[in-house]
Amino acid sequence: MKILGIETSCDETAASVVENGNLVLSSVVASSMNIHKKYGGIVPEEAAREQLRAIAPVISEALFSVELSWKDIDVIAVTVGPGLLGSLLIGVETSRTISYIMKKPIIPINHLHGHIYACWLKESIKAKIKLPELPAVVLLVSGGHTELVLMEDHGKYKFLGGTRDDAAGEAFDKSARLLGLTYPGGPEISRMAKLHSGKSTMSLPRPIINDNLYDFSFSGLKTAVLREVQRRKFLDNQFKIDLAYELQEAITDVLVIKTLKAINDFSPKSVLVVGGVSANECLRKKMEREVNERFSNIDLFIPPVKYCTDNGAYIASCAFYNQRVKPWQEISANPGLEF
Ligand code: KG4
Ligand code: ZN
C-alpha cells in the first residue's frame, strides 16, 4: 500500500510517499524558515502564504521525481492539527480536492501522533531496521509540545505528563532570542554549546526535576536566562557560549530524568524520542548513554535527524498503522487538536 503523506502544520510544506508504513519512496520538504528568521519567530500569515505557493510543486515532486503517478497512490494522509490554522488549511483543502477529483480516501492525522512514526521509517528496501516493539514510552519534544506518553498499541496512548507552561523547543527558541541568536533557537544553541570547553561556569535551574511527576515546566528557565542577560551590559561571545551550554545541559537533564522515571515505572519494551528537539545532539547522546547503561533489555529509538523535524513521511507511516479512513466531506483542520 502506497500512502501520500501531506504535512503543512507550521512553516514546512511537506509531501512523501511511503510504502507499507516503512519504506520512504520520496520525501520532499520546503520551508519558509528564512522568511521568518528576520522576525525572530514564525509569522502565521507569511507561513500560510508560503504554504500555498509551495504545496502543488512539493506534491508533484514527491510523486513524479520517483516516477509515481496518481494511480499508484492508494490513500492520502494529511495533518489536520494541531498547528497554525492558515497553514493547516492549505494541506487539508488540497487533500480534500485531490480526494474528490482522484477518488482517493483520506486518513486524517494528528501531527503529534505523526512525529512518533519517524521511528518506523527506512529509506532502502534492503535496510533491515528493527521496528519498535510496544508498549513504548514516548518522549515527544517539539516546538510547541513536550509530552511523555505510554504508547500501548497503535492508536492507544496513555498520557503521562506534559509541560505546564513552555515546551522544551520554546525554551530553546525564547532563550536564543534573548541571546540575540536567530530563529529557530534549538540548532543555534546547540551550535554555540559545541564551542564550550565542557565545564559549566554558570548554573541554571532544572525545574521540577525531582517532583516525582511526569510534568515539565520550562518557563522558569527562560526567566533565569533573562536574569543572566540583564545582569550584563554587553553580551560577549564567551558569555553566550557559557549560557548556551548550561541551558542545553539543563533542558536535556530534565528530559532525560523524566524519561528514565517513566521507564522505571512502566517497564516498556521500547523508548522513543521524537519531535524537532530530538535532533539535538546532546539530548541524543545523554539519552543513549543513560538508557543503554541502565536498561539493557529496552531498545531506544531516536529517528535520523532529517525525520525529527516536520515531514510528510511520518504522516504517511502513521496513517498506515492507523487506517481510520474518512470521506473528504468530514475532513477539517483543527488547530487546537490535543494528543
Ligand atoms: O517538531 P518541530 O520541527 O516542529 C513542531 O512541530 O513544533 O520542532 C521545532 C522545534 C523548534 O523549537 C526548534 O528550535 C527545535 O525543534 N529544534 C532543536 C534542534 N533542531 C530543532 N532544538 C534543539 N536542538 C536542535 N538541534
Ligand atoms: Zn512537528
Side-chain angles (χ1 to χ4, degrees):
M1 176 189 262
K2 291 189 183 69
I3 301 184
L4 171 68
I6 297 176
E7 154 62 42
T8 67
S9 65
C10 192
D11 59 324
E12 268 96 21
T13 312
S16 165
V17 181
V18 175
E19 189 163 34
N20 296 333
N22 308 121
L23 181 61
V24 182
L25 301 180
S26 67
S27 179
V28 181
V29 181
S31 171
S32 58
M33 183 59 73
N34 280 339
I35 296 175
H36 309 293
K37 265 191 165 78
K38 59 177 178 280
Y39 302 107
I42 306 279
V43 182
E45 291 80 2
E46 291 283 348
R49 197 172 305 142
E50 292 306 308
Q51 291 284 5
L52 185 57
R53 234 192 282 274
I55 189 80
V58 164
I59 292 175
S60 297
E61 196 180 328
L63 288 173
F64 309 135
S65 68
V66 287
E67 286 162 21
L68 292 168
S69 69
W70 284 110
K71 70 173 176 3
D72 299 312
I73 300 299
D74 300 292
V75 182
I76 299 164
V78 64
T79 299
V80 293
L84 302 170
L85 178 61
S87 289
L88 286 168
L89 278 172
I90 306 298
V92 166
E93 292 309 317
T94 303
S95 305
R96 280 159 49 95
T97 309
I98 298 170
S99 171
Y100 174 70
I101 295 173
M102 301 292 180
K103 312 262 180 298
K104 306 286 177 189
I106 302 185
I107 300 178
I109 297 296
N110 179 325
H111 178 79
L112 305 176
H113 299 175
H115 266 297
I116 298 172
Y117 285 86
C119 299
W120 268 261
L121 300 173
K122 65 174 185 178
E123 289 185 336
S124 150
I125 198 156
K126 290 192 192 119
K128 281 210 169 38
I129 61 155
K130 193 166 183 187
L131 297 179
E133 282 185 58
L134 302 177
V137 160
V138 180
L139 173 70
L140 166 70
V141 269
S142 69
H145 292 82
T146 301
E147 336 257 15
L148 261 173
V149 178
L150 182 67
M151 181 177 185
E152 292 171 327
D153 203 345
H154 296 287
K156 197 164 170 229
Y157 302 101
K158 189 165 160 191
F159 185 79
L160 303 180
T163 183
R164 297 177 185 170
D165 37 60
D166 289 350
E170 262 175 302
F172 274 116
D173 295 337
K174 290 178 178 173
S175 301
R177 198 172 177 171
L178 291 171
L179 290 178
L181 304 173
T182 56
Y183 184 86
E188 283 295 291
I189 295 284
S190 168
R191 185 180 60 78
M192 294 295 278
K194 275 197 194 129
L195 303 172
H196 196 271
S197 61
K199 233 174 150 210
S200 212
T201 49
M202 215 175 268
S203 169
L204 291 174
R206 272 67 173 158
I208 61 173
I209 195 166
N210 291 320
D211 71 348
N212 229 14
L213 295 170
Y214 306 111
D215 281 354
F216 302 87
S217 166
F218 290 111
S219 71
L221 198 44
K222 175 192 64 195
T223 312
V225 170
L226 176 65
R227 226 174 287 131
E228 291 290 342
V229 167
Q230 283 173 337
R231 277 180 29 202
R232 281 156 182 89
K233 279 206 188 92
F234 174 70
L235 306 185
D236 61 59
N237 213 39
Q238 190 55 50
F239 167 74
K240 290 185 188 179
I241 291 170
D242 290 347
L243 198 73
Y245 176 82
E246 175 62 6
L247 175 72
Q248 181 172 265
E249 288 297 318
I251 295 174
T252 53
D253 278 353
V254 176
L255 295 175
V256 169
I257 292 289
K258 299 271 172 172
T259 307
L260 293 178
K261 174 175 165 48
I263 302 171
N264 257 321
D265 292 352
F266 293 95
S267 306
K269 291 189 175 147
S270 320
V271 179
L272 320 180
V273 182
V274 299
V277 179
S278 65
N280 184 270
E281 217 178 296
C282 171
L283 175 64
R284 298 169 80 93
K285 283 194 180 142
K286 242 184 226 184
M287 197 67 89
E288 268 161 23
R289 192 181 61 227
E290 296 298 323
V291 173
N292 293 338
E293 264 177 21
R294 289 162 201 251
F295 307 98
S296 54
N297 54 339
I298 294 177
D299 290 318
L300 172 68
F301 294 83
I302 311 179
V305 169
K306 69 186 272 200
Y307 294 119
C308 291
T309 46
D310 293 346
N311 64 79
Y314 60 55
I315 298 301
S317 173
C318 182
F320 179 82
Y321 289 97
N322 298 272
Q323 297 191 12
R324 286 187 284 267
V325 172
K326 277 197 171 175
W328 65 266
Q329 294 92 334
E330 287 176 28
I331 306 286
S332 60
N334 184 353
L337 192 61
E338 291 191 345
F339 197 97

mmCIF file of all heavy atoms in Angstrom, residues 10-43:
data_model
loop_
_atom_site.group_PDB
_atom_site.id
_atom_site.type_symbol
_atom_site.label_atom_id
_atom_site.label_comp_id
_atom_site.label_asym_id
_atom_site.label_seq_id
_atom_site.Cartn_x
_atom_site.Cartn_y
_atom_site.Cartn_z
ATOM 1 N N CYS A 10 2.869 23.970 10.095
ATOM 2 C CA CYS A 10 3.548 25.192 10.546
ATOM 3 C C CYS A 10 4.257 25.870 9.379
ATOM 4 O O CYS A 10 3.594 26.388 8.477
ATOM 5 C CB CYS A 10 4.503 24.823 11.685
ATOM 6 S SG CYS A 10 5.146 26.247 12.555
ATOM 7 N N ASP A 11 5.574 25.856 9.355
ATOM 8 C CA ASP A 11 6.291 26.559 8.281
ATOM 9 C C ASP A 11 6.901 25.610 7.264
ATOM 10 O O ASP A 11 7.581 26.055 6.349
ATOM 11 C CB ASP A 11 7.369 27.471 8.880
ATOM 12 C CG ASP A 11 8.375 26.695 9.702
ATOM 13 O OD1 ASP A 11 7.957 25.734 10.368
ATOM 14 O OD2 ASP A 11 9.559 27.035 9.668
ATOM 15 N N GLU A 12 6.706 24.300 7.428
ATOM 16 C CA GLU A 12 7.188 23.356 6.428
ATOM 17 C C GLU A 12 6.032 22.872 5.562
ATOM 18 O O GLU A 12 4.954 22.565 6.074
ATOM 19 C CB GLU A 12 7.839 22.129 7.081
ATOM 20 C CG GLU A 12 9.333 22.248 7.279
ATOM 21 C CD GLU A 12 9.700 22.713 8.667
ATOM 22 O OE1 GLU A 12 8.850 22.549 9.565
ATOM 23 O OE2 GLU A 12 10.809 23.251 8.836
ATOM 24 N N THR A 13 6.274 22.830 4.249
ATOM 25 C CA THR A 13 5.310 22.229 3.330
ATOM 26 C C THR A 13 5.948 20.914 2.911
ATOM 27 O O THR A 13 7.014 20.916 2.296
ATOM 28 C CB THR A 13 5.134 23.114 2.077
ATOM 29 O OG1 THR A 13 4.944 24.461 2.491
ATOM 30 C CG2 THR A 13 3.968 22.638 1.236
ATOM 31 N N ALA A 14 5.312 19.798 3.286
ATOM 32 C CA ALA A 14 5.983 18.516 3.060
ATOM 33 C C ALA A 14 5.030 17.494 2.454
ATOM 34 O O ALA A 14 3.845 17.446 2.784
ATOM 35 C CB ALA A 14 6.539 17.993 4.379
ATOM 36 N N ALA A 15 5.585 16.674 1.549
ATOM 37 C CA ALA A 15 4.817 15.566 0.967
ATOM 38 C C ALA A 15 5.766 14.391 0.801
ATOM 39 O O ALA A 15 6.961 14.571 0.525
ATOM 40 C CB ALA A 15 4.221 15.968 -0.374
ATOM 41 N N SER A 16 5.214 13.185 0.976
ATOM 42 C CA SER A 16 6.067 11.999 0.932
ATOM 43 C C SER A 16 5.214 10.793 0.551
ATOM 44 O O SER A 16 4.043 10.711 0.919
ATOM 45 C CB SER A 16 6.664 11.790 2.331
ATOM 46 O OG SER A 16 7.212 10.509 2.468
ATOM 47 N N VAL A 17 5.820 9.867 -0.182
ATOM 48 C CA VAL A 17 5.134 8.600 -0.442
ATOM 49 C C VAL A 17 5.856 7.511 0.339
ATOM 50 O O VAL A 17 7.076 7.360 0.241
ATOM 51 C CB VAL A 17 5.116 8.258 -1.947
ATOM 52 C CG1 VAL A 17 4.368 6.940 -2.176
ATOM 53 C CG2 VAL A 17 4.462 9.387 -2.746
ATOM 54 N N VAL A 18 5.091 6.784 1.146
ATOM 55 C CA VAL A 18 5.656 5.711 1.973
ATOM 56 C C VAL A 18 4.909 4.415 1.657
ATOM 57 O O VAL A 18 3.681 4.387 1.585
ATOM 58 C CB VAL A 18 5.536 6.056 3.483
ATOM 59 C CG1 VAL A 18 6.015 4.905 4.355
ATOM 60 C CG2 VAL A 18 6.340 7.318 3.797
ATOM 61 N N GLU A 19 5.703 3.346 1.455
ATOM 62 C CA GLU A 19 5.100 2.048 1.117
ATOM 63 C C GLU A 19 4.987 1.181 2.365
ATOM 64 O O GLU A 19 5.965 1.009 3.110
ATOM 65 C CB GLU A 19 5.970 1.349 0.062
ATOM 66 C CG GLU A 19 5.309 0.114 -0.506
ATOM 67 C CD GLU A 19 5.970 -0.330 -1.798
ATOM 68 O OE1 GLU A 19 7.193 -0.168 -1.932
ATOM 69 O OE2 GLU A 19 5.259 -0.841 -2.668
ATOM 70 N N ASN A 20 3.807 0.642 2.572
ATOM 71 C CA ASN A 20 3.536 -0.260 3.687
ATOM 72 C C ASN A 20 4.028 0.239 5.049
ATOM 73 O O ASN A 20 4.523 -0.538 5.871
ATOM 74 C CB ASN A 20 4.106 -1.649 3.386
ATOM 75 C CG ASN A 20 3.408 -2.262 2.193
ATOM 76 O OD1 ASN A 20 2.257 -1.942 1.914
ATOM 77 N ND2 ASN A 20 4.119 -3.096 1.460
ATOM 78 N N GLY A 21 3.953 1.536 5.246
ATOM 79 C CA GLY A 21 4.235 2.117 6.558
ATOM 80 C C GLY A 21 5.692 2.346 6.892
ATOM 81 O O GLY A 21 5.992 3.022 7.880
ATOM 82 N N ASN A 22 6.616 1.792 6.097
ATOM 83 C CA ASN A 22 8.031 1.889 6.462
ATOM 84 C C ASN A 22 8.941 2.478 5.393
ATOM 85 O O ASN A 22 9.807 3.292 5.696
ATOM 86 C CB ASN A 22 8.594 0.503 6.811
ATOM 87 C CG ASN A 22 7.781 -0.228 7.831
ATOM 88 O OD1 ASN A 22 7.285 -1.317 7.581
ATOM 89 N ND2 ASN A 22 7.591 0.388 8.978
ATOM 90 N N LEU A 23 8.764 2.034 4.172
ATOM 91 C CA LEU A 23 9.739 2.371 3.125
ATOM 92 C C LEU A 23 9.423 3.735 2.501
ATOM 93 O O LEU A 23 8.398 3.917 1.833
ATOM 94 C CB LEU A 23 9.726 1.277 2.044
ATOM 95 C CG LEU A 23 10.714 1.480 0.904
ATOM 96 C CD1 LEU A 23 12.155 1.504 1.412
ATOM 97 C CD2 LEU A 23 10.528 0.381 -0.151
ATOM 98 N N VAL A 24 10.341 4.682 2.711
ATOM 99 C CA VAL A 24 10.145 6.036 2.175
ATOM 100 C C VAL A 24 10.560 6.034 0.699
ATOM 101 O O VAL A 24 11.729 5.860 0.372
ATOM 102 C CB VAL A 24 10.995 7.065 2.954
ATOM 103 C CG1 VAL A 24 10.750 8.476 2.428
ATOM 104 C CG2 VAL A 24 10.684 7.006 4.445
ATOM 105 N N LEU A 25 9.598 6.206 -0.190
ATOM 106 C CA LEU A 25 9.913 6.245 -1.627
ATOM 107 C C LEU A 25 10.337 7.652 -2.034
ATOM 108 O O LEU A 25 11.169 7.835 -2.923
ATOM 109 C CB LEU A 25 8.703 5.799 -2.451
ATOM 110 C CG LEU A 25 8.175 4.388 -2.150
ATOM 111 C CD1 LEU A 25 6.975 4.058 -3.036
ATOM 112 C CD2 LEU A 25 9.265 3.340 -2.353
ATOM 113 N N SER A 26 9.732 8.653 -1.380
ATOM 114 C CA SER A 26 10.118 10.044 -1.639
ATOM 115 C C SER A 26 9.747 10.864 -0.418
ATOM 116 O O SER A 26 8.805 10.518 0.306
ATOM 117 C CB SER A 26 9.375 10.586 -2.862
ATOM 118 O OG SER A 26 7.989 10.676 -2.578
ATOM 119 N N SER A 27 10.495 11.925 -0.169
ATOM 120 C CA SER A 27 10.139 12.839 0.920
ATOM 121 C C SER A 27 10.653 14.226 0.551
ATOM 122 O O SER A 27 11.851 14.442 0.440
ATOM 123 C CB SER A 27 10.755 12.377 2.249
ATOM 124 O OG SER A 27 10.416 13.284 3.280
ATOM 125 N N VAL A 28 9.722 15.130 0.317
ATOM 126 C CA VAL A 28 10.075 16.481 -0.135
ATOM 127 C C VAL A 28 9.614 17.476 0.934
ATOM 128 O O VAL A 28 8.476 17.415 1.388
ATOM 129 C CB VAL A 28 9.385 16.798 -1.485
ATOM 130 C CG1 VAL A 28 9.777 18.193 -1.969
ATOM 131 C CG2 VAL A 28 9.730 15.738 -2.522
ATOM 132 N N VAL A 29 10.515 18.357 1.348
ATOM 133 C CA VAL A 29 10.176 19.358 2.368
ATOM 134 C C VAL A 29 10.616 20.739 1.879
ATOM 135 O O VAL A 29 11.780 20.927 1.540
ATOM 136 C CB VAL A 29 10.886 19.064 3.721
ATOM 137 C CG1 VAL A 29 10.486 20.101 4.767
ATOM 138 C CG2 VAL A 29 10.568 17.659 4.218
ATOM 139 N N ALA A 30 9.664 21.683 1.829
ATOM 140 C CA ALA A 30 10.019 23.079 1.545
ATOM 141 C C ALA A 30 9.756 23.860 2.821
ATOM 142 O O ALA A 30 8.789 23.587 3.530
ATOM 143 C CB ALA A 30 9.160 23.627 0.409
ATOM 144 N N SER A 31 10.626 24.793 3.145
ATOM 145 C CA SER A 31 10.463 25.533 4.398
ATOM 146 C C SER A 31 10.457 27.034 4.149
ATOM 147 O O SER A 31 11.201 27.523 3.305
ATOM 148 C CB SER A 31 11.612 25.172 5.346
ATOM 149 O OG SER A 31 11.581 26.019 6.468
ATOM 150 N N SER A 32 9.612 27.735 4.894
ATOM 151 C CA SER A 32 9.614 29.204 4.765
ATOM 152 C C SER A 32 10.411 29.835 5.905
ATOM 153 O O SER A 32 10.291 31.029 6.184
ATOM 154 C CB SER A 32 8.175 29.746 4.736
ATOM 155 O OG SER A 32 7.469 29.372 5.899
ATOM 156 N N MET A 33 11.244 29.016 6.573
ATOM 157 C CA MET A 33 12.015 29.474 7.729
ATOM 158 C C MET A 33 12.819 30.750 7.465
ATOM 159 O O MET A 33 12.881 31.644 8.307
ATOM 160 C CB MET A 33 12.966 28.350 8.163
ATOM 161 C CG MET A 33 13.764 28.666 9.387
ATOM 162 S SD MET A 33 12.697 29.006 10.771
ATOM 163 C CE MET A 33 12.103 27.371 11.133
ATOM 164 N N ASN A 34 13.421 30.837 6.290
ATOM 165 C CA ASN A 34 14.267 32.008 6.004
ATOM 166 C C ASN A 34 13.484 33.317 6.052
ATOM 167 O O ASN A 34 14.022 34.349 6.423
ATOM 168 C CB ASN A 34 14.958 31.856 4.649
ATOM 169 C CG ASN A 34 16.168 30.965 4.797
ATOM 170 O OD1 ASN A 34 16.693 30.795 5.907
ATOM 171 N ND2 ASN A 34 16.599 30.345 3.707
ATOM 172 N N ILE A 35 12.198 33.252 5.688
ATOM 173 C CA ILE A 35 11.357 34.454 5.744
ATOM 174 C C ILE A 35 11.112 34.853 7.207
ATOM 175 O O ILE A 35 11.146 36.024 7.557
ATOM 176 C CB ILE A 35 10.011 34.202 5.021
ATOM 177 C CG1 ILE A 35 10.301 33.956 3.538
ATOM 178 C CG2 ILE A 35 9.019 35.339 5.237
ATOM 179 C CD1 ILE A 35 9.096 33.579 2.732
ATOM 180 N N HIS A 36 10.898 33.836 8.067
ATOM 181 C CA HIS A 36 10.566 34.123 9.472
ATOM 182 C C HIS A 36 11.777 34.549 10.292
ATOM 183 O O HIS A 36 11.630 35.235 11.302
ATOM 184 C CB HIS A 36 9.914 32.898 10.119
ATOM 185 C CG HIS A 36 8.774 32.358 9.325
ATOM 186 N ND1 HIS A 36 7.604 33.052 9.160
ATOM 187 C CD2 HIS A 36 8.641 31.218 8.610
ATOM 188 C CE1 HIS A 36 6.792 32.346 8.387
ATOM 189 N NE2 HIS A 36 7.403 31.230 8.036
ATOM 190 N N LYS A 37 12.953 34.099 9.851
ATOM 191 C CA LYS A 37 14.183 34.381 10.616
ATOM 192 C C LYS A 37 14.315 35.864 10.955
ATOM 193 O O LYS A 37 14.668 36.231 12.069
ATOM 194 C CB LYS A 37 15.407 33.952 9.790
ATOM 195 C CG LYS A 37 15.901 32.569 10.117
ATOM 196 C CD LYS A 37 17.260 32.333 9.468
ATOM 197 C CE LYS A 37 17.939 31.154 10.053
ATOM 198 N NZ LYS A 37 17.707 29.883 9.797
ATOM 199 N N LYS A 38 14.009 36.719 9.986
ATOM 200 C CA LYS A 38 14.227 38.151 10.234
ATOM 201 C C LYS A 38 13.233 38.726 11.249
ATOM 202 O O LYS A 38 13.455 39.798 11.789
ATOM 203 C CB LYS A 38 14.226 38.940 8.920
ATOM 204 C CG LYS A 38 12.980 38.852 8.076
ATOM 205 C CD LYS A 38 13.136 39.766 6.848
ATOM 206 C CE LYS A 38 11.956 39.709 5.915
ATOM 207 N NZ LYS A 38 11.931 38.552 5.018
ATOM 208 N N TYR A 39 12.132 38.001 11.513
ATOM 209 C CA TYR A 39 11.170 38.457 12.521
ATOM 210 C C TYR A 39 11.438 37.812 13.892
ATOM 211 O O TYR A 39 10.775 38.140 14.864
ATOM 212 C CB TYR A 39 9.732 38.125 12.093
ATOM 213 C CG TYR A 39 9.341 38.722 10.760
ATOM 214 C CD1 TYR A 39 9.225 37.915 9.634
ATOM 215 C CD2 TYR A 39 9.106 40.093 10.630
ATOM 216 C CE1 TYR A 39 8.870 38.453 8.398
ATOM 217 C CE2 TYR A 39 8.756 40.638 9.403
ATOM 218 C CZ TYR A 39 8.645 39.815 8.294
ATOM 219 O OH TYR A 39 8.305 40.344 7.086
ATOM 220 N N GLY A 40 12.331 36.841 13.950
ATOM 221 C CA GLY A 40 12.653 36.177 15.218
ATOM 222 C C GLY A 40 11.620 35.145 15.643
ATOM 223 O O GLY A 40 11.631 34.667 16.773
ATOM 224 N N GLY A 41 10.717 34.770 14.751
ATOM 225 C CA GLY A 41 9.696 33.753 15.064
ATOM 226 C C GLY A 41 8.776 33.607 13.863
ATOM 227 O O GLY A 41 8.848 34.405 12.923
ATOM 228 N N ILE A 42 7.888 32.598 13.930
ATOM 229 C CA ILE A 42 7.009 32.344 12.795
ATOM 230 C C ILE A 42 5.939 33.435 12.672
ATOM 231 O O ILE A 42 5.252 33.742 13.657
ATOM 232 C CB ILE A 42 6.282 30.985 12.958
ATOM 233 C CG1 ILE A 42 7.286 29.853 13.197
ATOM 234 C CG2 ILE A 42 5.369 30.690 11.781
ATOM 235 C CD1 ILE A 42 7.969 29.305 12.003
ATOM 236 N N VAL A 43 5.755 33.976 11.499
ATOM 237 C CA VAL A 43 4.650 34.912 11.231
ATOM 238 C C VAL A 43 3.561 34.103 10.506
ATOM 239 O O VAL A 43 3.754 33.695 9.357
ATOM 240 C CB VAL A 43 5.121 36.090 10.344
ATOM 241 C CG1 VAL A 43 3.983 37.079 10.114
ATOM 242 C CG2 VAL A 43 6.321 36.780 10.969
#
